[in-house]
């Protein structure tokens, strides 16, 4: 009976909100030694150091591959939840067609084109 009450969505949300707030406060207390460091810990380089010249720019050569895998995984999750009947086919085939077009656009957009 008590577990049913604790698993009710509003009660569970409140409990998790309280846990999250507690973790946030404890983390803020632990990290208070960094508060007086000024802007040193807010730079992009590790430990507040200035980045070496010429090495601070990231390269996104395989970014399109990661986005493609994300689209494929979301499509698999969607298709796995479609019911296996005629209505599922009516929903699944257009979904897979749109996913295929998206992947084609990502692959073609990731290739270097002459004149670009």
């Amino acid at each position: 009976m008590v577990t049913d009450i604790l698993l009710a969505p509003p009660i569970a949300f409140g409990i998790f909100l309280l846990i999250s707030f507690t973790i946030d406060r404890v983390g803020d207390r632990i990290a208070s030694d960094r508060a007086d460091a000024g802007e040193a810990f807010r730079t992009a380089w590790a430990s507040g150091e200035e980045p070496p010249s010429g090495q601070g720019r990231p390269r996104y050569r395989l970014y399109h591959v990661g986005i493609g895998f994300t689209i494929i995984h979301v499509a698999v999750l969607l298709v796995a939840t479609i019911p296996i009947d005629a209505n599922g086919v009516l929903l699944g085939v257009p979904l897979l067609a749109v996913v295929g077009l998206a992947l084609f656009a990502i692959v073609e957009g990731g290739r270097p084109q002459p004149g670009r």
Side-chain angles (χ1 to χ4, degrees), residues 68-94:
F69 275 111
T70 302
I71 290 174
I72 288 172
H73 284 97
V74 170
V76 166
L77 288 172
L78 288 173
V79 170
T81 60
I82 293 176
I84 304 173
D85 60 0
N87 290 333
V89 171
L90 288 174
L91 183 64
V93 170

Side-chain angles (χ1 to χ4, degrees), residues 12 24 36 45 59 68 71 82-83 94 99 107 115:
D24 181 54
D36 58 352
W45 191 250
R59 296 188 189 122
I71 290 174
I82 293 176
V99 168
V107 168

Side-chain angles (χ1 to χ4, degrees), residues 10-57:
I11 304 297
F13 176 75
I15 291 171
F16 283 116
L17 193 63
L18 183 64
I19 291 170
S20 300
F21 181 75
T22 304
I23 290 172
D24 181 54
R25 293 290 103 204
V26 169
D28 189 40
R29 183 79 61 189
I30 291 171
S32 66
D33 60 333
R34 295 185 178 187
D36 58 352
E39 294 295 315
F41 286 100
R42 303 205 187 279
T43 59
W45 191 250
S47 304
E49 302 170 0
E50 290 297 320
S53 61
Q55 294 182 3
R57 296 194 55 152

